[in-house]
Amino acid sequence: MTVFQSSCAYCGVGCGLTITSHSTPLSSESPQLDGTPAAFTLKGDQSHPANLGKLCAKGERLLESLVQPNTLRYPRLASGKVVQWDEATQLIAQKFAETRQQFGPDSVALYLSGQLLTEDYYVANKFAKGYLKTANVDTNSRLCMSSAVSAMQRAFGEDVVPGCYEDLEQAEVIVLIGANTAWTHPVLFQRILAAKKLTNAQLVVIDPIKTATAKQADLHLAIHPGADLSLFTGLLGYLADNNKLNHSYIAAHTEGFDEVIQPAQHLSSNLAALAKHAGLNLELLLQFYDLFASSTKVVTASCQGVNQSIIGTDCTNAIINCHLALGQIGQVGSGFFSLTGQPNAMGAEKLVV
Ligand code: SF4
């Protein structure tokens, strides 16, 4: 019996797994899970900080997904013929060599997944840049996370998320924007709900759709698609209008604040118009703004509903600006949190870019 630790690669929570091989230990000769599902058992890793032993339905069925008839488990040619790894590797090498010879090194590219380990990205980058001599190596996490990354580089000077899962458990107010966390980050959402029961934290969900997440919210702001940037820019103006700014924090840790606050106060000068633009009634808008302004521990977490937009970077930046204005960032239970689509999106961004 062999016990080893791994992680679920389905979603950005990155839950830790404990896998037990009962009869067919993994070896370099059999790198795939060739045994029947009964040869392995899987459970959540109690010691892993992301999930503390919990798994969602997708993670619990990981082993089953590896032995489905339509799962690609062996190299297969375009003709459908299954071949050995040696033959497949030689064919790939031959195609790379022929293409490079005919069209030059930049005619080939590697496209990786945000599910890989950082070490895998390192090896792939070495292979692409050092051996194939091409800079064409990218991951699908660029599509997923580039808005958030660009906003954090703009706001902080580097791609760094100023928060962690524990902050979500210690916040007074949790704002989820563009994030159907109940479906996309199930174990984390269960953690949020469990913490909410203990702390009475208020859950605000900003989403045009009444998602499974929105149904559990204390406050659901069903804004018009694309109104997220105005909503948070107006919030910044509202904080200034109501003397909520943390001036000492702003003076010590920000620059260019005056340039940001002027357009924000222009928006907040007509909250009725702003509410109409966002598709909300004024009362609901004010309820959200008051809650945000009067709470000392707010975490705002965003996901693809914010990222996958031409104003995704600006919107994320607008959210961060509100936290900077209150000095609610980098403190226990408060700050901005970017929910990733994939478990190692950040590793990919760091190594590929
Ligand atoms: S929450 Fe995500 S990482 Fe965790 S078990 Fe479910 S799919 Fe896997």
mmCIF file of all heavy atoms in Angstrom, residues 8-15 51 54-60 184-188, ligand 1:
data_model
loop_
_atom_site.group_PDB
_atom_site.id
_atom_site.type_symbol
_atom_site.label_atom_id
_atom_site.label_comp_id
_atom_site.label_asym_id
_atom_site.label_seq_id
_atom_site.Cartn_x
_atom_site.Cartn_y
_atom_site.Cartn_z
ATOM 1 N N CYS A 8 -6.097 18.354 -6.478
ATOM 2 C CA CYS A 8 -7.137 18.329 -7.497
ATOM 3 C C CYS A 8 -6.890 19.509 -8.436
ATOM 4 O O CYS A 8 -6.692 20.630 -7.981
ATOM 5 C CB CYS A 8 -8.516 18.450 -6.849
ATOM 6 S SG CYS A 8 -9.845 18.592 -8.070
ATOM 7 N N ALA A 9 -6.884 19.217 -9.723
ATOM 8 C CA ALA A 9 -6.553 20.269 -10.695
ATOM 9 C C ALA A 9 -7.784 20.840 -11.386
ATOM 10 O O ALA A 9 -7.666 21.578 -12.340
ATOM 11 C CB ALA A 9 -5.600 19.699 -11.736
ATOM 12 N N TYR A 10 -8.976 20.510 -10.896
ATOM 13 C CA TYR A 10 -10.179 20.974 -11.584
ATOM 14 C C TYR A 10 -10.393 22.482 -11.463
ATOM 15 O O TYR A 10 -10.759 23.142 -12.415
ATOM 16 C CB TYR A 10 -11.406 20.262 -11.042
ATOM 17 C CG TYR A 10 -11.769 18.995 -11.766
ATOM 18 C CD1 TYR A 10 -12.079 17.844 -11.052
ATOM 19 C CD2 TYR A 10 -11.830 18.943 -13.148
ATOM 20 C CE1 TYR A 10 -12.424 16.670 -11.707
ATOM 21 C CE2 TYR A 10 -12.167 17.771 -13.808
ATOM 22 C CZ TYR A 10 -12.472 16.644 -13.083
ATOM 23 O OH TYR A 10 -12.808 15.495 -13.724
ATOM 24 N N CYS A 11 -10.254 23.012 -10.272
ATOM 25 C CA CYS A 11 -10.577 24.441 -10.145
ATOM 26 C C CYS A 11 -9.539 25.177 -9.312
ATOM 27 O O CYS A 11 -8.596 24.588 -8.791
ATOM 28 C CB CYS A 11 -11.984 24.628 -9.578
ATOM 29 S SG CYS A 11 -12.103 24.652 -7.783
ATOM 30 N N GLY A 12 -9.737 26.471 -9.188
ATOM 31 C CA GLY A 12 -8.756 27.323 -8.542
ATOM 32 C C GLY A 12 -8.595 27.131 -7.051
ATOM 33 O O GLY A 12 -7.669 27.681 -6.450
ATOM 34 N N VAL A 13 -9.466 26.356 -6.427
ATOM 35 C CA VAL A 13 -9.291 26.135 -4.983
ATOM 36 C C VAL A 13 -8.015 25.329 -4.733
ATOM 37 O O VAL A 13 -7.275 25.599 -3.796
ATOM 38 C CB VAL A 13 -10.511 25.404 -4.368
ATOM 39 C CG1 VAL A 13 -10.326 25.213 -2.873
ATOM 40 C CG2 VAL A 13 -11.783 26.194 -4.618
ATOM 41 N N GLY A 14 -7.737 24.368 -5.608
ATOM 42 C CA GLY A 14 -6.505 23.588 -5.467
ATOM 43 C C GLY A 14 -6.510 22.681 -4.250
ATOM 44 O O GLY A 14 -5.551 22.649 -3.462
ATOM 45 N N CYS A 15 -7.575 21.924 -4.067
ATOM 46 C CA CYS A 15 -7.695 21.080 -2.866
ATOM 47 C C CYS A 15 -6.617 20.006 -2.810
ATOM 48 O O CYS A 15 -6.286 19.380 -3.826
ATOM 49 C CB CYS A 15 -9.064 20.402 -2.854
ATOM 50 S SG CYS A 15 -10.421 21.558 -2.659
ATOM 51 N N ASN A 51 -8.248 23.062 1.684
ATOM 52 C CA ASN A 51 -9.533 22.361 1.842
ATOM 53 C C ASN A 51 -9.704 21.647 3.175
ATOM 54 O O ASN A 51 -10.811 21.194 3.479
ATOM 55 C CB ASN A 51 -9.723 21.352 0.700
ATOM 56 C CG ASN A 51 -8.623 20.316 0.624
ATOM 57 O OD1 ASN A 51 -7.454 20.639 0.826
ATOM 58 N ND2 ASN A 51 -8.975 19.090 0.310
ATOM 59 N N LYS A 54 -11.681 18.540 2.961
ATOM 60 C CA LYS A 54 -12.961 18.503 2.224
ATOM 61 C C LYS A 54 -12.720 18.411 0.711
ATOM 62 O O LYS A 54 -11.711 18.900 0.203
ATOM 63 C CB LYS A 54 -13.775 19.755 2.525
ATOM 64 C CG LYS A 54 -14.244 19.829 3.958
ATOM 65 C CD LYS A 54 -15.330 20.870 4.103
ATOM 66 C CE LYS A 54 -16.008 20.784 5.442
ATOM 67 N NZ LYS A 54 -15.097 20.860 6.572
ATOM 68 N N LEU A 55 -13.672 17.803 0.028
ATOM 69 C CA LEU A 55 -13.646 17.767 -1.441
ATOM 70 C C LEU A 55 -15.059 18.002 -1.945
ATOM 71 O O LEU A 55 -16.025 17.657 -1.250
ATOM 72 C CB LEU A 55 -13.179 16.401 -1.957
ATOM 73 C CG LEU A 55 -11.729 15.991 -1.705
ATOM 74 C CD1 LEU A 55 -11.494 14.579 -2.222
ATOM 75 C CD2 LEU A 55 -10.745 16.958 -2.343
ATOM 76 N N CYS A 56 -15.180 18.535 -3.139
ATOM 77 C CA CYS A 56 -16.513 18.640 -3.732
ATOM 78 C C CYS A 56 -16.762 17.396 -4.598
ATOM 79 O O CYS A 56 -15.897 16.526 -4.723
ATOM 80 C CB CYS A 56 -16.641 19.920 -4.559
ATOM 81 S SG CYS A 56 -15.816 19.843 -6.149
ATOM 82 N N ALA A 57 -17.921 17.324 -5.229
ATOM 83 C CA ALA A 57 -18.291 16.137 -6.008
ATOM 84 C C ALA A 57 -17.301 15.881 -7.140
ATOM 85 O O ALA A 57 -16.992 14.732 -7.456
ATOM 86 C CB ALA A 57 -19.699 16.323 -6.571
ATOM 87 N N LYS A 58 -16.767 16.965 -7.724
ATOM 88 C CA LYS A 58 -15.825 16.780 -8.838
ATOM 89 C C LYS A 58 -14.534 16.138 -8.340
ATOM 90 O O LYS A 58 -14.005 15.204 -8.948
ATOM 91 C CB LYS A 58 -15.509 18.136 -9.495
ATOM 92 C CG LYS A 58 -16.631 18.678 -10.329
ATOM 93 C CD LYS A 58 -16.243 19.968 -11.021
ATOM 94 C CE LYS A 58 -16.289 21.146 -10.072
ATOM 95 N NZ LYS A 58 -16.029 22.427 -10.727
ATOM 96 N N GLY A 59 -14.028 16.642 -7.231
ATOM 97 C CA GLY A 59 -12.795 16.086 -6.674
ATOM 98 C C GLY A 59 -12.972 14.660 -6.208
ATOM 99 O O GLY A 59 -12.086 13.814 -6.399
ATOM 100 N N GLU A 60 -14.121 14.372 -5.620
ATOM 101 C CA GLU A 60 -14.361 13.009 -5.120
ATOM 102 C C GLU A 60 -14.384 11.984 -6.249
ATOM 103 O O GLU A 60 -14.109 10.809 -6.037
ATOM 104 C CB GLU A 60 -15.699 12.962 -4.363
ATOM 105 C CG GLU A 60 -15.585 13.502 -2.960
ATOM 106 C CD GLU A 60 -16.941 13.609 -2.285
ATOM 107 O OE1 GLU A 60 -17.966 13.435 -2.981
ATOM 108 O OE2 GLU A 60 -16.961 13.868 -1.081
ATOM 109 N N THR A 184 -18.149 27.359 -9.001
ATOM 110 C CA THR A 184 -16.786 27.339 -9.548
ATOM 111 C C THR A 184 -15.708 27.087 -8.501
ATOM 112 O O THR A 184 -14.608 26.654 -8.842
ATOM 113 C CB THR A 184 -16.470 28.663 -10.276
ATOM 114 O OG1 THR A 184 -16.640 29.738 -9.345
ATOM 115 C CG2 THR A 184 -17.377 28.866 -11.475
ATOM 116 N N HIS A 185 -15.968 27.390 -7.252
ATOM 117 C CA HIS A 185 -15.005 27.136 -6.176
ATOM 118 C C HIS A 185 -15.765 26.521 -4.993
ATOM 119 O O HIS A 185 -15.866 27.138 -3.915
ATOM 120 C CB HIS A 185 -14.317 28.443 -5.740
ATOM 121 C CG HIS A 185 -13.549 29.115 -6.847
ATOM 122 N ND1 HIS A 185 -14.143 29.922 -7.789
ATOM 123 C CD2 HIS A 185 -12.234 29.066 -7.173
ATOM 124 C CE1 HIS A 185 -13.214 30.351 -8.641
ATOM 125 N NE2 HIS A 185 -12.053 29.840 -8.291
ATOM 126 N N PRO A 186 -16.340 25.330 -5.189
ATOM 127 C CA PRO A 186 -17.321 24.803 -4.218
ATOM 128 C C PRO A 186 -16.793 24.656 -2.791
ATOM 129 O O PRO A 186 -17.489 25.016 -1.841
ATOM 130 C CB PRO A 186 -17.692 23.436 -4.794
ATOM 131 C CG PRO A 186 -17.209 23.421 -6.196
ATOM 132 C CD PRO A 186 -16.108 24.403 -6.307
ATOM 133 N N VAL A 187 -15.591 24.138 -2.654
ATOM 134 C CA VAL A 187 -15.088 23.919 -1.289
ATOM 135 C C VAL A 187 -14.842 25.260 -0.583
ATOM 136 O O VAL A 187 -15.141 25.416 0.606
ATOM 137 C CB VAL A 187 -13.812 23.043 -1.324
ATOM 138 C CG1 VAL A 187 -13.072 23.082 -0.002
ATOM 139 C CG2 VAL A 187 -14.191 21.601 -1.680
ATOM 140 N N LEU A 188 -14.338 26.219 -1.330
ATOM 141 C CA LEU A 188 -14.114 27.543 -0.728
ATOM 142 C C LEU A 188 -15.448 28.178 -0.341
ATOM 143 O O LEU A 188 -15.573 28.802 0.726
ATOM 144 C CB LEU A 188 -13.355 28.443 -1.707
ATOM 145 C CG LEU A 188 -13.046 29.844 -1.191
ATOM 146 C CD1 LEU A 188 -12.152 29.795 0.048
ATOM 147 C CD2 LEU A 188 -12.395 30.694 -2.268
HETATM 148 S S1 SF4 B 1 -13.294 22.582 -4.978
HETATM 149 FE FE1 SF4 B 1 -12.103 22.550 -6.909
HETATM 150 S S2 SF4 B 1 -10.060 21.803 -6.347
HETATM 151 FE FE2 SF4 B 1 -11.488 21.283 -4.651
HETATM 152 S S3 SF4 B 1 -12.206 19.221 -5.068
HETATM 153 FE FE3 SF4 B 1 -13.698 20.611 -5.977
HETATM 154 S S4 SF4 B 1 -13.010 20.891 -8.107
HETATM 155 FE FE4 SF4 B 1 -11.275 20.020 -6.971
#
